[in-house]
Amino acid sequence: MPSELTDLVSDVTPGRGALRPARSWLHSDAPSLSLNGSWRFRLSPTASVTEDFAVEDFDDHAWEDMAVPSHWVLEGDGAYGRPIYTNVQFPFPMDPPHVPDENPTGDYRRVFELPAGWTDAERVVLRFDGVESLFRVWVNGVEIGSASGSRLAHEFDVTSSVRPGDNVVAVRVHQWSAASYVEDQDQWWLPGIFRDVTLLARPAAGIEDVWLRTGFDSGRGHIDPEVVADAAAFPITLRIPELGVEQVWATKDDVAPLDIPEVTPWSAERPHLYRATVSNAAETLSLSVGFRTVEIRGDQFLVNGRRVVFHGVNRHETHPERGRVFDEQHAREDLALMKRFNVNAIRTSHYPPHPRLLDLADELGFWVVLECDLETHGFHKVDWKGNPSDDPAWREAYLDRIRRTVERDKNHPSIVLWSLGNEAGTGSNLAAMSSWVHSRDAGRPVHYEGDHAGEYTDVYSRMYASVPETEAIGTDGSRVPLLGCTPAQGARQRTKPFLLCEYAHAMGNGPGAFDQYEALVRAHPRLHGGFVWEWRDHGILARTADGRPFYAYGGDFGETVHDGNFVMDGMVLSDGTPTPSLHEFKAVVQPVMFSFEADKVAVTNLRHSADTSDLRFRWRVEHDGRVVESGELEVPVIAAGVSGRVPLPPVTVAPDAETWLTVEAVLAAETAWAPQGHVVATAQADRSVRRRVPAARTRPEWRAGTGTLALGVADFVGGSLVRLADRAVSGPRLELFRAPTDNDEGASDEVEHSDAAVPGVSNAELWRREGLHRLTTRRVRVEQAADALRTVDKVSAANSALFVMVECVWTLDGGELELRAQIEPSSGWPTVWPRVGIRFDLPDGTQPIDGAEWFGLGPLESYPDSIRAARTGRFSSSVRDLSVDYARPQETGHRSALRELSLTSGGMEVLHLVALPDTRGRRPGFVLSRHTPQEIAAADHPHELPASVATHLHIDAAQHGLGSRACGPDVWPDFALRPEAYTLRLQISGPR
């Protein structure tokens, strides 16, 4: 490889040539020309391409077309390489700052016509909003410069190289460079020109940059303007028509702060924006201005004088077909979905997003933590040896990254924190970045989680802290040691606002414990909430050899090094489907809280600053899940942080049915993100008359029998159930196994507060070691009595002395069939169980069971530590819709607190079950699936599941919690399933 190229790809300098200083991304009426569209493209396997492709007369007819913006690995069905997913690992040897010679390099060419009149421009600027990773630029054969910083904007002065008529722009993009060492974010590596390319005509006496810093205090607004322009650009006028502002600055020295007597403040709840222009004779810039003041007062993070609680998500830019290419409609729908699910904050993990996203955040209303394009996580493998964060040679690269981050987005009111980056260890370069931010923008604090000792950041931030650790951080006077802190450093950190920049890892089915974290935030004002990891799965739409679509993850593209499905960790699936975890999040963080009293309900407004004037309040009464009464509550307008007690209507209580009162807060009018009537918050109160549970049926005398008999709708052969209501069936069989969730497979060491967990060993592995997925049964005895059958089975696994005794008693009284299953484990079980229950297998026959109707908790699934979104009611669903299509098949679909269940085929009931509570009042749950747990566990993707010939009904006495151990704490002990005796009671009948 030529030494010049070796030097370039290994150079830690952030840019060369005619690269211009960073500035705001502005909406200007100055002429511009989009160069998005079709470019000519060639991919080479190495960076050592010597051909001078940038000369004007180069013949590129043998090349192919490539869309800009795009990622070349997502185009051409693999013709240009494949995506690579890593979380912590580097997909190339760790030899900083060097990268391999095998370095895919994409050459781009495009001819453009310089618009008429542009020869009058003072400067012509070529802007790239995002290129991964290192790129070089030529115009008409003249090299302009090079730059790195994939998610950052770069502008080149091309004035001397462009000419009237046709021009040729050529770009060479190297997939790997020294910059790759500081861009090791948890995401796909996706090379190419993936954001906009724009040619800008900068007018003579134009306005180079503007920053309208704003403040708000007691109804008054404040603007502290900064204008970058030559003396010839003046006079310059600031106009805000809605406020009657028309401020003329005759010279640069006239630019000064101004106060506005009365303004409406901006907040994430009520994002009031004023349209402003900054203009002169040559150019008009349009801005959206939001008045708000960000400050830290003691250990409180305040906006406009009020404490902020971040109910946030970490958001990567990801699209299943376009990767990180920005799709504004897709982004707007994403943010609207966040608002509908009570998300109020975004951390832009782990780089600045496309600038239009921040316009949307300003408009729709989010607190934004704007993060720099920086992560060196792979150095963790070598104990941070050689980490660029503390290497002086990299200082300018680090400072360039934070400058480009802050300068581009400084005008956005939604941004309330600057974040230096993510998981880059610590060191002097990060401290230098923080110092630069503090000197440049005193109006926003600095965040960086890796500064555990709090040496250069303004807020205390952690990721995946356990519930007890979070409580210790928030508790005044606590002396519990903090991670990476001396006692003195820990004391200092406890004087700052605390936020969880990542928590509740939403990978697959999970996480649990949202409500525990939220309770701490409400109890300890120092705790300011956090950001769930993360918003959306990063699946890439792919197809099997026979054309079936699926969402691919790490390893699906033949990567040498990858991190599997760890990239599928969002509360929204790759196709945009909200998962049950998002519904759980919405319920836990809802901004209105209801507390029921005898004849009143306390309504508490938990919002930051908005009152409840935008809400209506509805109520309804249900008897056994059927609505019998409904209406609206007369609720006065309640200010933020205030409670009001409201009379409830008289509730008709049914003597022979459960009575449930539900209240809801709904939108009174349509908004930009939800229709009128959208439910914002809800709560239920049980007003049922307590009824005695029928005693278990007994038989005075049992005798040995063949077990071949009929009991009502049930037929038995040799003690085994073979038919129910004229349908073939097998079971009930003991089931202790569930297809492991991603959290079950998590092998983290965070098990201090777990139950029976082993550091570094997943619960799923412990279950497999105990043989829970391969249980066998020995029938101990079969007994009969009048209209009754009793079987006793001993269930255990090969090579294990542990066992479970299962006694099933079937009785028929007055034509009503009841099953009582008593499950009793032996002593000595060393692990928690994933589930304990019984399974019925229902072959398809001529009419497969394809749906369910039930009275219990729903409509979505629920688990012990993720149950707040569930409500008691009557629901129906197809079998397919009872499950969630996670990218890696796993346990899903459990509905808790079952009362009644009807199985349907073609819309007709074929089997009906009533579940009775046990002696402790516990009700079972159910799962209805087309595959067994063992089949699900064996598949890596949904399309690998075998063809189904039966429907499988699980009646679970209990399920283990979900936790967050895929990346974070294990299941809290209160929700762990310990091996112990359980009883199930079911009344079974045919169609009614």
PDB file of all heavy atoms in Angstrom, residues 727-730 839-845 847-851 879 882 903-904 927-932 948-954:
ATOM      1  N   ARG A 727     -62.454 -33.943  21.336  1.00  0.00           N
ATOM      2  CA  ARG A 727     -61.221 -33.556  20.650  1.00  0.00           C
ATOM      3  C   ARG A 727     -60.068 -34.364  21.222  1.00  0.00           C
ATOM      4  O   ARG A 727     -59.972 -34.572  22.436  1.00  0.00           O
ATOM      5  CB  ARG A 727     -60.913 -32.066  20.831  1.00  0.00           C
ATOM      6  CG  ARG A 727     -61.934 -31.114  20.226  1.00  0.00           C
ATOM      7  CD  ARG A 727     -61.433 -29.694  20.351  1.00  0.00           C
ATOM      8  NE  ARG A 727     -60.227 -29.475  19.572  1.00  0.00           N
ATOM      9  CZ  ARG A 727     -60.210 -29.056  18.313  1.00  0.00           C
ATOM     10  NH1 ARG A 727     -61.346 -28.814  17.680  1.00  0.00           N
ATOM     11  NH2 ARG A 727     -59.068 -28.875  17.681  1.00  0.00           N
ATOM     12  N   ALA A 728     -59.163 -34.808  20.322  1.00  0.00           N
ATOM     13  CA  ALA A 728     -57.970 -35.497  20.793  1.00  0.00           C
ATOM     14  C   ALA A 728     -57.128 -34.547  21.633  1.00  0.00           C
ATOM     15  O   ALA A 728     -57.016 -33.356  21.337  1.00  0.00           O
ATOM     16  CB  ALA A 728     -57.160 -36.014  19.604  1.00  0.00           C
ATOM     17  N   VAL A 729     -56.545 -35.083  22.695  1.00  0.00           N
ATOM     18  CA  VAL A 729     -55.726 -34.279  23.592  1.00  0.00           C
ATOM     19  C   VAL A 729     -54.761 -35.198  24.317  1.00  0.00           C
ATOM     20  O   VAL A 729     -55.068 -36.376  24.550  1.00  0.00           O
ATOM     21  CB  VAL A 729     -56.602 -33.483  24.590  1.00  0.00           C
ATOM     22  CG1 VAL A 729     -57.381 -34.417  25.477  1.00  0.00           C
ATOM     23  CG2 VAL A 729     -55.759 -32.532  25.430  1.00  0.00           C
ATOM     24  N   SER A 730     -53.596 -34.707  24.660  1.00  0.00           N
ATOM     25  CA  SER A 730     -52.693 -35.430  25.557  1.00  0.00           C
ATOM     26  C   SER A 730     -52.271 -34.487  26.663  1.00  0.00           C
ATOM     27  O   SER A 730     -52.204 -33.281  26.488  1.00  0.00           O
ATOM     28  CB  SER A 730     -51.478 -35.968  24.797  1.00  0.00           C
ATOM     29  OG  SER A 730     -50.687 -34.904  24.299  1.00  0.00           O
ATOM     30  N   ARG A 839     -49.215 -28.893  30.965  1.00  0.00           N
ATOM     31  CA  ARG A 839     -49.374 -28.618  29.546  1.00  0.00           C
ATOM     32  C   ARG A 839     -50.316 -29.632  28.924  1.00  0.00           C
ATOM     33  O   ARG A 839     -50.192 -30.840  29.149  1.00  0.00           O
ATOM     34  CB  ARG A 839     -48.020 -28.670  28.844  1.00  0.00           C
ATOM     35  CG  ARG A 839     -48.055 -28.221  27.398  1.00  0.00           C
ATOM     36  CD  ARG A 839     -46.669 -28.294  26.782  1.00  0.00           C
ATOM     37  NE  ARG A 839     -46.494 -29.489  25.955  1.00  0.00           N
ATOM     38  CZ  ARG A 839     -45.325 -29.983  25.618  1.00  0.00           C
ATOM     39  NH1 ARG A 839     -44.209 -29.438  26.075  1.00  0.00           N
ATOM     40  NH2 ARG A 839     -45.250 -31.057  24.843  1.00  0.00           N
ATOM     41  N   PHE A 840     -51.247 -29.112  28.116  1.00  0.00           N
ATOM     42  CA  PHE A 840     -52.128 -29.942  27.308  1.00  0.00           C
ATOM     43  C   PHE A 840     -51.746 -29.742  25.844  1.00  0.00           C
ATOM     44  O   PHE A 840     -51.618 -28.603  25.376  1.00  0.00           O
ATOM     45  CB  PHE A 840     -53.596 -29.540  27.488  1.00  0.00           C
ATOM     46  CG  PHE A 840     -54.129 -29.708  28.879  1.00  0.00           C
ATOM     47  CD1 PHE A 840     -54.011 -28.692  29.813  1.00  0.00           C
ATOM     48  CD2 PHE A 840     -54.755 -30.890  29.261  1.00  0.00           C
ATOM     49  CE1 PHE A 840     -54.518 -28.837  31.083  1.00  0.00           C
ATOM     50  CE2 PHE A 840     -55.280 -31.044  30.542  1.00  0.00           C
ATOM     51  CZ  PHE A 840     -55.153 -30.021  31.461  1.00  0.00           C
ATOM     52  N   ASP A 841     -51.585 -30.845  25.108  1.00  0.00           N
ATOM     53  CA  ASP A 841     -51.304 -30.780  23.680  1.00  0.00           C
ATOM     54  C   ASP A 841     -52.571 -31.132  22.921  1.00  0.00           C
ATOM     55  O   ASP A 841     -53.158 -32.208  23.152  1.00  0.00           O
ATOM     56  CB  ASP A 841     -50.177 -31.737  23.305  1.00  0.00           C
ATOM     57  CG  ASP A 841     -48.876 -31.393  24.010  1.00  0.00           C
ATOM     58  OD1 ASP A 841     -48.626 -30.190  24.246  1.00  0.00           O
ATOM     59  OD2 ASP A 841     -48.110 -32.312  24.344  1.00  0.00           O
ATOM     60  N   LEU A 842     -52.994 -30.249  22.024  1.00  0.00           N
ATOM     61  CA  LEU A 842     -54.258 -30.384  21.320  1.00  0.00           C
ATOM     62  C   LEU A 842     -53.982 -30.480  19.819  1.00  0.00           C
ATOM     63  O   LEU A 842     -53.821 -29.470  19.133  1.00  0.00           O
ATOM     64  CB  LEU A 842     -55.152 -29.180  21.613  1.00  0.00           C
ATOM     65  CG  LEU A 842     -55.456 -28.977  23.114  1.00  0.00           C
ATOM     66  CD1 LEU A 842     -55.670 -27.519  23.435  1.00  0.00           C
ATOM     67  CD2 LEU A 842     -56.662 -29.797  23.501  1.00  0.00           C
ATOM     68  N   PRO A 843     -53.885 -31.703  19.274  1.00  0.00           N
ATOM     69  CA  PRO A 843     -53.612 -31.867  17.840  1.00  0.00           C
ATOM     70  C   PRO A 843     -54.665 -31.165  16.994  1.00  0.00           C
ATOM     71  O   PRO A 843     -55.826 -31.020  17.392  1.00  0.00           O
ATOM     72  CB  PRO A 843     -53.657 -33.382  17.647  1.00  0.00           C
ATOM     73  CG  PRO A 843     -53.389 -33.950  19.004  1.00  0.00           C
ATOM     74  CD  PRO A 843     -54.004 -32.993  19.971  1.00  0.00           C
ATOM     75  N   ASP A 844     -54.267 -30.789  15.784  1.00  0.00           N
ATOM     76  CA  ASP A 844     -55.137 -29.980  14.942  1.00  0.00           C
ATOM     77  C   ASP A 844     -56.408 -30.715  14.526  1.00  0.00           C
ATOM     78  O   ASP A 844     -57.497 -30.156  14.573  1.00  0.00           O
ATOM     79  CB  ASP A 844     -54.389 -29.522  13.691  1.00  0.00           C
ATOM     80  CG  ASP A 844     -53.386 -28.417  14.010  1.00  0.00           C
ATOM     81  OD1 ASP A 844     -53.448 -27.858  15.124  1.00  0.00           O
ATOM     82  OD2 ASP A 844     -52.542 -28.123  13.143  1.00  0.00           O
ATOM     83  N   GLY A 845     -56.273 -31.955  14.082  1.00  0.00           N
ATOM     84  CA  GLY A 845     -57.448 -32.636  13.561  1.00  0.00           C
ATOM     85  C   GLY A 845     -58.015 -31.867  12.385  1.00  0.00           C
ATOM     86  O   GLY A 845     -57.304 -31.283  11.577  1.00  0.00           O
ATOM     87  N   GLN A 847     -60.179 -29.314  12.805  1.00  0.00           N
ATOM     88  CA  GLN A 847     -60.439 -27.936  13.212  1.00  0.00           C
ATOM     89  C   GLN A 847     -59.396 -27.507  14.240  1.00  0.00           C
ATOM     90  O   GLN A 847     -59.572 -27.717  15.443  1.00  0.00           O
ATOM     91  CB  GLN A 847     -61.844 -27.797  13.808  1.00  0.00           C
ATOM     92  CG  GLN A 847     -62.974 -27.975  12.793  1.00  0.00           C
ATOM     93  CD  GLN A 847     -64.318 -27.754  13.455  1.00  0.00           C
ATOM     94  OE1 GLN A 847     -64.607 -28.323  14.508  1.00  0.00           O
ATOM     95  NE2 GLN A 847     -65.142 -26.922  12.836  1.00  0.00           N
ATOM     96  N   PRO A 848     -58.283 -26.913  13.800  1.00  0.00           N
ATOM     97  CA  PRO A 848     -57.263 -26.467  14.758  1.00  0.00           C
ATOM     98  C   PRO A 848     -57.814 -25.406  15.703  1.00  0.00           C
ATOM     99  O   PRO A 848     -58.660 -24.582  15.315  1.00  0.00           O
ATOM    100  CB  PRO A 848     -56.172 -25.888  13.860  1.00  0.00           C
ATOM    101  CG  PRO A 848     -56.436 -26.424  12.498  1.00  0.00           C
ATOM    102  CD  PRO A 848     -57.910 -26.642  12.411  1.00  0.00           C
ATOM    103  N   ILE A 849     -57.355 -25.435  16.914  1.00  0.00           N
ATOM    104  CA  ILE A 849     -57.679 -24.353  17.842  1.00  0.00           C
ATOM    105  C   ILE A 849     -56.879 -23.129  17.419  1.00  0.00           C
ATOM    106  O   ILE A 849     -55.650 -23.170  17.350  1.00  0.00           O
ATOM    107  CB  ILE A 849     -57.377 -24.773  19.290  1.00  0.00           C
ATOM    108  CG1 ILE A 849     -58.407 -25.815  19.727  1.00  0.00           C
ATOM    109  CG2 ILE A 849     -57.374 -23.575  20.223  1.00  0.00           C
ATOM    110  CD1 ILE A 849     -58.170 -26.391  21.079  1.00  0.00           C
ATOM    111  N   ASP A 850     -57.588 -22.056  17.125  1.00  0.00           N
ATOM    112  CA  ASP A 850     -56.920 -20.890  16.557  1.00  0.00           C
ATOM    113  C   ASP A 850     -57.167 -19.604  17.331  1.00  0.00           C
ATOM    114  O   ASP A 850     -56.739 -18.529  16.918  1.00  0.00           O
ATOM    115  CB  ASP A 850     -57.335 -20.685  15.101  1.00  0.00           C
ATOM    116  CG  ASP A 850     -58.853 -20.584  14.933  1.00  0.00           C
ATOM    117  OD1 ASP A 850     -59.563 -20.378  15.942  1.00  0.00           O
ATOM    118  OD2 ASP A 850     -59.325 -20.700  13.794  1.00  0.00           O
ATOM    119  N   GLY A 851     -57.874 -19.673  18.461  1.00  0.00           N
ATOM    120  CA  GLY A 851     -58.141 -18.456  19.201  1.00  0.00           C
ATOM    121  C   GLY A 851     -58.484 -18.719  20.645  1.00  0.00           C
ATOM    122  O   GLY A 851     -58.638 -19.873  21.075  1.00  0.00           O
ATOM    123  N   VAL A 879     -54.556 -17.206  18.277  1.00  0.00           N
ATOM    124  CA  VAL A 879     -53.390 -17.845  18.883  1.00  0.00           C
ATOM    125  C   VAL A 879     -52.121 -17.130  18.438  1.00  0.00           C
ATOM    126  O   VAL A 879     -51.213 -16.882  19.236  1.00  0.00           O
ATOM    127  CB  VAL A 879     -53.333 -19.344  18.525  1.00  0.00           C
ATOM    128  CG1 VAL A 879     -52.018 -19.963  18.975  1.00  0.00           C
ATOM    129  CG2 VAL A 879     -54.508 -20.085  19.154  1.00  0.00           C
ATOM    130  N   LEU A 882     -51.383 -13.958  20.348  1.00  0.00           N
ATOM    131  CA  LEU A 882     -51.073 -14.109  21.765  1.00  0.00           C
ATOM    132  C   LEU A 882     -49.568 -14.065  22.025  1.00  0.00           C
ATOM    133  O   LEU A 882     -49.131 -13.826  23.143  1.00  0.00           O
ATOM    134  CB  LEU A 882     -51.645 -15.423  22.303  1.00  0.00           C
ATOM    135  CG  LEU A 882     -53.158 -15.464  22.523  1.00  0.00           C
ATOM    136  CD1 LEU A 882     -53.608 -16.898  22.802  1.00  0.00           C
ATOM    137  CD2 LEU A 882     -53.574 -14.551  23.664  1.00  0.00           C
ATOM    138  N   LEU A 903     -61.339 -21.842  24.546  1.00  0.00           N
ATOM    139  CA  LEU A 903     -60.561 -22.096  23.339  1.00  0.00           C
ATOM    140  C   LEU A 903     -61.522 -22.155  22.167  1.00  0.00           C
ATOM    141  O   LEU A 903     -62.588 -22.775  22.250  1.00  0.00           O
ATOM    142  CB  LEU A 903     -59.783 -23.403  23.465  1.00  0.00           C
ATOM    143  CG  LEU A 903     -58.836 -23.519  24.671  1.00  0.00           C
ATOM    144  CD1 LEU A 903     -58.034 -24.808  24.588  1.00  0.00           C
ATOM    145  CD2 LEU A 903     -57.917 -22.319  24.771  1.00  0.00           C
ATOM    146  N   THR A 904     -61.149 -21.508  21.063  1.00  0.00           N
ATOM    147  CA  THR A 904     -62.053 -21.399  19.925  1.00  0.00           C
ATOM    148  C   THR A 904     -61.420 -21.949  18.659  1.00  0.00           C
ATOM    149  O   THR A 904     -60.196 -21.996  18.513  1.00  0.00           O
ATOM    150  CB  THR A 904     -62.467 -19.933  19.699  1.00  0.00           C
ATOM    151  OG1 THR A 904     -61.300 -19.152  19.423  1.00  0.00           O
ATOM    152  CG2 THR A 904     -63.184 -19.372  20.922  1.00  0.00           C
ATOM    153  N   VAL A 927     -50.663 -19.849  28.792  1.00  0.00           N
ATOM    154  CA  VAL A 927     -49.974 -19.587  27.533  1.00  0.00           C
ATOM    155  C   VAL A 927     -50.578 -20.520  26.500  1.00  0.00           C
ATOM    156  O   VAL A 927     -50.710 -21.725  26.748  1.00  0.00           O
ATOM    157  CB  VAL A 927     -48.450 -19.837  27.645  1.00  0.00           C
ATOM    158  CG1 VAL A 927     -47.790 -19.710  26.273  1.00  0.00           C
ATOM    159  CG2 VAL A 927     -47.813 -18.893  28.643  1.00  0.00           C
ATOM    160  N   LEU A 928     -50.948 -19.987  25.362  1.00  0.00           N
ATOM    161  CA  LEU A 928     -51.497 -20.779  24.264  1.00  0.00           C
ATOM    162  C   LEU A 928     -50.605 -20.547  23.060  1.00  0.00           C
ATOM    163  O   LEU A 928     -50.461 -19.411  22.587  1.00  0.00           O
ATOM    164  CB  LEU A 928     -52.935 -20.358  23.969  1.00  0.00           C
ATOM    165  CG  LEU A 928     -53.772 -21.269  23.077  1.00  0.00           C
ATOM    166  CD1 LEU A 928     -53.970 -22.630  23.734  1.00  0.00           C
ATOM    167  CD2 LEU A 928     -55.122 -20.618  22.781  1.00  0.00           C
ATOM    168  N   SER A 929     -49.984 -21.618  22.573  1.00  0.00           N
ATOM    169  CA  SER A 929     -48.948 -21.462  21.556  1.00  0.00           C
ATOM    170  C   SER A 929     -49.028 -22.587  20.536  1.00  0.00           C
ATOM    171  O   SER A 929     -49.521 -23.678  20.827  1.00  0.00           O
ATOM    172  CB  SER A 929     -47.570 -21.470  22.221  1.00  0.00           C
ATOM    173  OG  SER A 929     -46.531 -21.515  21.262  1.00  0.00           O
ATOM    174  N   ARG A 930     -48.499 -22.329  19.358  1.00  0.00           N
ATOM    175  CA  ARG A 930     -48.440 -23.358  18.315  1.00  0.00           C
ATOM    176  C   ARG A 930     -47.169 -24.190  18.409  1.00  0.00           C
ATOM    177  O   ARG A 930     -46.979 -25.107  17.613  1.00  0.00           O
ATOM    178  CB  ARG A 930     -48.520 -22.689  16.936  1.00  0.00           C
ATOM    179  CG  ARG A 930     -49.874 -22.069  16.626  1.00  0.00           C
ATOM    180  CD  ARG A 930     -50.959 -23.105  16.495  1.00  0.00           C
ATOM    181  NE  ARG A 930     -50.771 -23.945  15.316  1.00  0.00           N
ATOM    182  CZ  ARG A 930     -51.514 -25.008  15.022  1.00  0.00           C
ATOM    183  NH1 ARG A 930     -52.490 -25.389  15.843  1.00  0.00           N
ATOM    184  NH2 ARG A 930     -51.272 -25.708  13.936  1.00  0.00           N
ATOM    185  N   HIS A 931     -46.301 -23.886  19.342  1.00  0.00           N
ATOM    186  CA  HIS A 931     -45.061 -24.642  19.497  1.00  0.00           C
ATOM    187  C   HIS A 931     -44.781 -24.895  20.970  1.00  0.00           C
ATOM    188  O   HIS A 931     -45.178 -24.122  21.840  1.00  0.00           O
ATOM    189  CB  HIS A 931     -43.880 -23.887  18.872  1.00  0.00           C
ATOM    190  CG  HIS A 931     -43.980 -23.745  17.384  1.00  0.00           C
ATOM    191  ND1 HIS A 931     -44.547 -22.639  16.777  1.00  0.00           N
ATOM    192  CD2 HIS A 931     -43.599 -24.579  16.377  1.00  0.00           C
ATOM    193  CE1 HIS A 931     -44.519 -22.805  15.465  1.00  0.00           C
ATOM    194  NE2 HIS A 931     -43.945 -23.954  15.191  1.00  0.00           N
ATOM    195  N   THR A 932     -44.079 -25.993  21.228  1.00  0.00           N
ATOM    196  CA  THR A 932     -43.700 -26.316  22.595  1.00  0.00           C
ATOM    197  C   THR A 932     -42.512 -25.452  23.015  1.00  0.00           C
ATOM    198  O   THR A 932     -41.780 -24.911  22.169  1.00  0.00           O
ATOM    199  CB  THR A 932     -43.305 -27.793  22.721  1.00  0.00           C
ATOM    200  OG1 THR A 932     -42.072 -28.003  21.996  1.00  0.00           O
ATOM    201  CG2 THR A 932     -44.392 -28.706  22.169  1.00  0.00           C
ATOM    202  N   SER A 948     -46.200 -26.573  12.532  1.00  0.00           N
ATOM    203  CA  SER A 948     -46.956 -26.941  13.729  1.00  0.00           C
ATOM    204  C   SER A 948     -48.157 -27.814  13.362  1.00  0.00           C
ATOM    205  O   SER A 948     -48.832 -27.580  12.355  1.00  0.00           O
ATOM    206  CB  SER A 948     -47.444 -25.677  14.439  1.00  0.00           C
ATOM    207  OG  SER A 948     -48.251 -26.012  15.528  1.00  0.00           O
ATOM    208  N   VAL A 949     -48.401 -28.819  14.204  1.00  0.00           N
ATOM    209  CA  VAL A 949     -49.545 -29.703  13.985  1.00  0.00           C
ATOM    210  C   VAL A 949     -50.449 -29.753  15.203  1.00  0.00           C
ATOM    211  O   VAL A 949     -51.385 -30.552  15.257  1.00  0.00           O
ATOM    212  CB  VAL A 949     -49.068 -31.135  13.633  1.00  0.00           C
ATOM    213  CG1 VAL A 949     -48.324 -31.128  12.308  1.00  0.00           C
ATOM    214  CG2 VAL A 949     -48.188 -31.709  14.740  1.00  0.00           C
ATOM    215  N   ALA A 950     -50.188 -28.888  16.196  1.00  0.00           N
ATOM    216  CA  ALA A 950     -50.980 -28.909  17.415  1.00  0.00           C
ATOM    217  C   ALA A 950     -50.921 -27.542  18.073  1.00  0.00           C
ATOM    218  O   ALA A 950     -50.027 -26.729  17.807  1.00  0.00           O
ATOM    219  CB  ALA A 950     -50.472 -29.978  18.384  1.00  0.00           C
ATOM    220  N   THR A 951     -51.883 -27.298  18.933  1.00  0.00           N
ATOM    221  CA  THR A 951     -51.881 -26.119  19.797  1.00  0.00           C
ATOM    222  C   THR A 951     -51.592 -26.594  21.213  1.00  0.00           C
ATOM    223  O   THR A 951     -52.123 -27.622  21.651  1.00  0.00           O
ATOM    224  CB  THR A 951     -53.223 -25.385  19.731  1.00  0.00           C
ATOM    225  OG1 THR A 951     -53.479 -24.991  18.381  1.00  0.00           O
ATOM    226  CG2 THR A 951     -53.225 -24.161  20.621  1.00  0.00           C
ATOM    227  N   HIS A 952     -50.749 -25.843  21.912  1.00  0.00           N
ATOM    228  CA  HIS A 952     -50.281 -26.256  23.226  1.00  0.00           C
ATOM    229  C   HIS A 952     -50.771 -25.265  24.275  1.00  0.00           C
ATOM    230  O   HIS A 952     -50.486 -24.070  24.196  1.00  0.00           O
ATOM    231  CB  HIS A 952     -48.763 -26.355  23.250  1.00  0.00           C
ATOM    232  CG  HIS A 952     -48.221 -27.187  22.130  1.00  0.00           C
ATOM    233  ND1 HIS A 952     -48.185 -28.562  22.182  1.00  0.00           N
ATOM    234  CD2 HIS A 952     -47.731 -26.839  20.905  1.00  0.00           C
ATOM    235  CE1 HIS A 952     -47.677 -29.032  21.053  1.00  0.00           C
ATOM    236  NE2 HIS A 952     -47.397 -28.000  20.258  1.00  0.00           N
ATOM    237  N   LEU A 953     -51.528 -25.788  25.235  1.00  0.00           N
ATOM    238  CA  LEU A 953     -52.081 -24.977  26.306  1.00  0.00           C
ATOM    239  C   LEU A 953     -51.314 -25.228  27.592  1.00  0.00           C
ATOM    240  O   LEU A 953     -51.264 -26.355  28.082  1.00  0.00           O
ATOM    241  CB  LEU A 953     -53.566 -25.294  26.515  1.00  0.00           C
ATOM    242  CG  LEU A 953     -54.217 -24.655  27.750  1.00  0.00           C
ATOM    243  CD1 LEU A 953     -54.222 -23.130  27.641  1.00  0.00           C
ATOM    244  CD2 LEU A 953     -55.638 -25.205  27.955  1.00  0.00           C
ATOM    245  N   HIS A 954     -50.699 -24.157  28.117  1.00  0.00           N
ATOM    246  CA  HIS A 954     -50.024 -24.209  29.409  1.00  0.00           C
ATOM    247  C   HIS A 954     -50.902 -23.519  30.446  1.00  0.00           C
ATOM    248  O   HIS A 954     -51.358 -22.391  30.227  1.00  0.00           O
ATOM    249  CB  HIS A 954     -48.684 -23.474  29.371  1.00  0.00           C
ATOM    250  CG  HIS A 954     -47.688 -24.076  28.443  1.00  0.00           C
ATOM    251  ND1 HIS A 954     -46.683 -24.900  28.865  1.00  0.00           N
ATOM    252  CD2 HIS A 954     -47.532 -23.957  27.097  1.00  0.00           C
ATOM    253  CE1 HIS A 954     -45.946 -25.267  27.829  1.00  0.00           C
ATOM    254  NE2 HIS A 954     -46.452 -24.716  26.744  1.00  0.00           N
TER     255      HIS A 954
END
